Amino acid sequence: MAREEYCIYLRKSRADLDAEAHGEGETLARHERILLELAKRDKLNVTEIYREIVSGDTIAARPVMQQLLQEVQAGRWAGVLVVEVERLARGETIDQGIVAQTFQYSETKIVTPLKTYDPTNEYDEEYFEFGLFMSRREYKTIKRRLMRGREAASKEGKWVSGSCPYGYKRVRIENGKGWTLEVIPEEAEIVKLIFQLYTKGEPLPDGSKRDIGPHPICRRLEHMNVPAPSGGRDWRTRTIEQILQNPVYIGKVRWNRRKTKRKVEDGKVTPERYVSKPENWILADGLHEAIIDTDTFQLAADKLAKRGPAPVHLNGELKNPFSGVAVCEKCGRVLALWNNSKGYSMLKCRNRFCDNVGCSYEIFEARVLEALSGWLAGYELKWEEAPAKNDELVGLAKRAYNQASKELENRERQLARAHELLELDIYDVDTFLDRSRVLAEQIAEAKENKVAAASALSSAERAAESRKNLIPKVKKLLEVYETLPSAAAKNEMLKSILEKITYRRDKRTGPKDDFEITLYPKLPSSEE
């Protein structure tokens, strides 16, 4: 059946935002009127209007566009109405190629007030691709102009970033263009306290002072119930370090420090943030008020430089075999492996505000292996009756699927018969339409039943396969666990058989093995 339905796609551009600022009216509403008039003139049956509120550079940043492309690819629409082809894609070349191929392969028309592009027409295809190419050039020109404007504004001391550093809020420049920062008094006092503690130390009862680093400063702020920049009460060491290193607090504006580059992974373009070379940074006197004096800031910088970089594991080697598997029963956070200077290893909840007590890693590991061995013994007994049960469940699912398929075929034959009766004048048009509506509902229901039956059959088959394979996997792990060469190898085997392990310990005193663990093997859903 030929497609007769059309849809409208509306999206703002940066030029539209400028036009709205100059009082030219709401863009989407104006474009909607233009395209509805076009549909009326050309007698196009428009049944859906898509509105893209965000103005993203890529398809990945435009969820409505993603939905539209999926429907175009599925062949739902005869055509899409847009005010200009540039509204579909003007960013990355790869995105323009995706849009062009999607419309071409689905033979979906692109209707604009000036021209209708038919992807099956060779000349229209070339014209459409040329339009995208020109929009790409225009997009790059606009982007370069925006970047030059931001660089110029930052050199003038204006605040050009969207987010604000802790202690400030963004405000419009009075009698001028652009933004600057305004001090938030309560947060500014916390910033001063952070610099004071780090550069001058913490006062002790005897009058002396103790040197204090970013981590103890976090604990001090949490003890004082100071809200963190993220909104919670969990202050991070990295947050303190960023505050100590940010020249915004001495009245400076820094721009172009962090940049974005795109890379392709598994066929998808993903952005990656990195710190550029210092010689590429822009550092200018800001229009805003400073919170910290230059001497204090330099003292903090010198002290940070002496600390050196944080230690890291060589080659990013995994040290915890239970990484991503063992979780806290109380708060749900993963358990972390902690090693002290004496070689003692502990598993602890990563949440500082959780009262779940940690335990010895060696004891935890032994308990997990013991629990797996006990579970395996019981499951093997249960498995003796499983093959017959598996065959029965799969057989029932297959019969349900076959019945649903026959029901759908029967309803489709009835619809074909209704068409024949209309052609033979046994049905008049009204009777045919009534019958078609009833059959359409029954066919839709039959299709849903068939899909549900297919899903049930697939689940039954996967469950049978899971039951058959799980026992050998657990046996293999128990046999070779102690001989595995690395924590990463142990972690991989544990993840292949366990969804998770929950851990709970309420008392710090008492036997070291006085804790509870619960194993969640990767069983079929019916057995969980």
Side-chain angles (χ1 to χ4, degrees):
M1 181 182 291
R3 296 171 296 174
E4 298 294 340
E5 296 185 7
Y6 288 75
C7 70
I8 290 175
Y9 177 71
L10 305 171
R11 180 177 71 87
K12 289 184 181 180
S13 66
R14 289 186 176 90
D16 297 328
L17 298 175
D18 294 338
E20 289 179 7
H22 289 84
E24 294 189 16
E26 211 284 324
T27 302
L28 296 189
R30 188 173 69 255
H31 289 178
E32 182 177 324
R33 288 194 299 270
I34 293 172
L35 295 177
L36 286 175
E37 289 174 2
L38 174 62
K40 181 179 179 180
R41 185 194 72 192
D42 292 350
K43 297 180 180 179
L44 303 178
N45 183 21
V46 173
T47 60
E48 190 75 50
I49 298 178
Y50 294 100
R51 298 174 178 86
E52 191 86 70
I53 305 301
V54 299
S55 181
D57 291 343
T58 63
I59 292 176
R62 294 157 56 190
V64 177
M65 186 62 189
Q66 295 174 31
Q67 178 185 351
L68 176 63
L69 287 179
Q70 290 175 358
E71 294 179 357
V72 168
Q73 185 177 14
R76 176 180 177 184
W77 303 111
V80 177
L81 282 70
V82 289
V83 291
E84 55 191 5
V85 293
E86 290 84 351
R87 302 287 163 165
L88 295 174
R90 73 179 306 173
E92 297 293 334
T93 305
I94 189 172
D95 285 347
Q96 293 183 344
I98 291 172
V99 171
Q101 286 188 347
T102 302
F103 279 85
Q104 180 184 357
Y105 295 158
S106 63
E107 299 184 357
T108 304
K109 295 179 181 179
I110 299 172
V111 185
T112 72
L114 298 178
K115 180 177 175 57
T116 296
Y117 299 88
D118 185 351
T120 61
N121 183 298
E122 179 181 352
Y123 298 104
D124 280 359
E125 179 186 350
E126 292 179 357
Y127 199 88
F128 173 63
E129 291 177 352
F130 179 73
L132 291 180
F133 168 73
M134 294 303 295
S135 70
R136 170 69 176 161
R137 290 190 60 185
E138 181 185 4
Y139 164 77
K140 285 192 171 183
T141 301
I142 293 173
K143 196 169 184 179
R144 283 196 298 269
R145 187 164 64 244
L146 287 172
M147 290 304 297
R148 286 197 298 267
R150 287 181 176 179
E151 289 180 2
S154 62
K155 290 178 180 178
E156 295 172 1
K158 298 176 181 178
W159 186 256
V160 296
S161 178
S163 59
C164 297
Y166 182 78
Y168 289 100
K169 63 180 178 180
R170 194 173 70 142
V171 295
R172 282 279 187 184
I173 297 175
E174 292 186 10
N175 303 320
K177 185 179 180 181
W179 300 82
T180 186
L181 297 174
E182 183 179 292
V183 173
I184 301 175
E186 315 86 66
E187 294 184 359
E189 292 302 317
I190 301 302
V191 173
K192 293 177 182 178
L193 176 62
I194 291 172
F195 274 91
Q196 179 183 353
L197 288 173
Y198 190 69
T199 57
K200 298 181 179 179
E202 183 180 32
L204 296 175
D206 60 1
S208 62
K209 292 186 177 181
R210 179 179 63 185
D211 193 32
I212 183 171
H215 186 74
I217 292 176
C218 289
R219 305 293 79 75
R220 168 67 72 86
L221 296 176
E222 289 170 356
H223 181 71
M224 295 168 59
N225 293 320
V226 176
S230 60
R233 30 178 316 219
D234 188 7
W235 280 82
R236 303 296 179 96
T237 302
R238 183 60 184 150
T239 302
I240 300 298
E241 293 174 346
Q242 289 174 340
I243 290 175
L244 294 170
Q245 294 172 328
N246 197 340
V248 72
Y249 297 111
I250 56 172
K252 300 288 185 179
V253 169
R254 181 175 60 188
W255 178 249
N256 210 34
R257 176 177 177 268
R258 295 187 66 85
K259 306 192 74 173
T260 301
K261 64 180 179 181
R262 290 182 169 86
K263 61 179 181 178
V264 179
E265 291 183 349
D266 300 327
K268 295 182 179 179
V269 180
T270 56
E272 184 181 64
R273 298 277 286 172
Y274 69 98
V275 178
S276 63
K277 296 180 180 179
E279 55 265 29
N280 296 329
W281 300 355
I282 294 174
L283 190 62
D285 292 332
L287 302 178
H288 62 278
E289 177 187 351
I291 296 177
I292 302 299
D293 62 84
T294 305
D295 292 339
T296 301
F297 183 81
Q298 188 59 49
L299 187 62
D302 294 340
K303 188 174 179 181
L304 282 169
K306 292 178 181 178
R307 291 176 67 237
V312 297
H313 293 304
L314 293 176
N315 302 322
E317 182 182 353
L318 182 69
K319 299 296 183 182
N320 181 11
F322 297 99
S323 176
V325 180
V327 299
C328 173
E329 183 181 300
K330 294 187 176 183
C331 71
R333 294 281 290 271
V334 296
L335 302 185
L337 180 63
W338 298 74
N339 298 311
N340 61 16
S341 57
K342 299 180 181 179
Y344 182 73
S345 301
M346 286 190 67
L347 280 175
K348 297 170 60 178
C349 178
R350 298 176 66 92
N351 184 357
R352 294 193 301 273
F353 304 105
C354 180
D355 61 356
N356 205 358
V357 183
C359 71
S360 162
Y361 165 77
E362 287 78 10
I363 296 177
F364 181 88
E365 184 179 51
R367 283 278 296 275
V368 169
L369 296 177
E370 180 185 355
L372 272 176
S373 179
W375 174 86
L376 178 62
Y379 195 69
E380 279 188 303
L381 292 175
K382 184 180 178 181
W383 174 253
E384 294 178 0
E385 300 178 358
K389 181 181 179 182
N390 288 339
D391 293 341
E392 181 182 352
L393 292 175
V394 172
L396 288 172
K398 283 182 177 179
R399 287 195 291 273
Y401 176 77
N402 292 335
Q403 182 63 33
S405 300
K406 290 179 181 178
E407 179 68 16
L408 178 58
E409 292 173 1
N410 182 43
R411 297 303 180 190
E412 290 175 341
R413 281 197 300 269
Q414 290 177 352
L415 181 59
R417 178 59 177 164
H419 281 279
E420 293 176 2
L421 294 174
L422 177 64
E423 293 174 0
L424 294 172
D425 292 331
I426 297 175
Y427 278 175
D428 58 22
V429 174
D430 291 338
T431 304
F432 169 76
L433 290 176
D434 290 339
R435 182 60 177 157
S436 295
R437 293 189 187 101
V438 173
L439 287 173
E441 293 179 1
Q442 293 175 343
I443 288 174
E445 183 180 355
K447 286 182 177 179
E448 291 179 0
N449 291 339
K450 183 177 179 180
V451 171
S455 176
L457 175 59
S458 177
S459 297
E461 291 174 341
R462 287 198 306 270
E465 190 69 17
S466 175
R467 294 185 187 99
K468 183 173 66 176
N469 294 334
L470 187 59
I471 288 178
K473 285 183 179 181
V474 176
K475 282 186 175 181
K476 183 69 174 178
L477 181 140
L478 293 173
E479 290 173 3
V480 305
Y481 185 85
E482 298 295 341
T483 63
L484 290 174
S486 65
K490 293 179 179 179
N491 183 256
E492 183 179 355
M493 288 200 74
L494 286 167
K495 284 184 175 179
S496 70
I497 64 172
L498 292 171
E499 294 285 352
K500 63 179 178 180
I501 304 169
T502 59
Y503 166 82
R504 182 186 185 100
R505 185 180 182 185
D506 296 317
K507 298 180 180 179
R508 295 187 179 275
T509 58
K512 293 183 178 180
D513 61 349
D514 184 18
F515 57 82
E516 299 176 4
I517 60 170
T518 305
L519 275 58
Y520 293 82
K522 289 187 174 180
L523 295 171
S525 58
S526 60
E527 296 187 22
E528 292 178 349

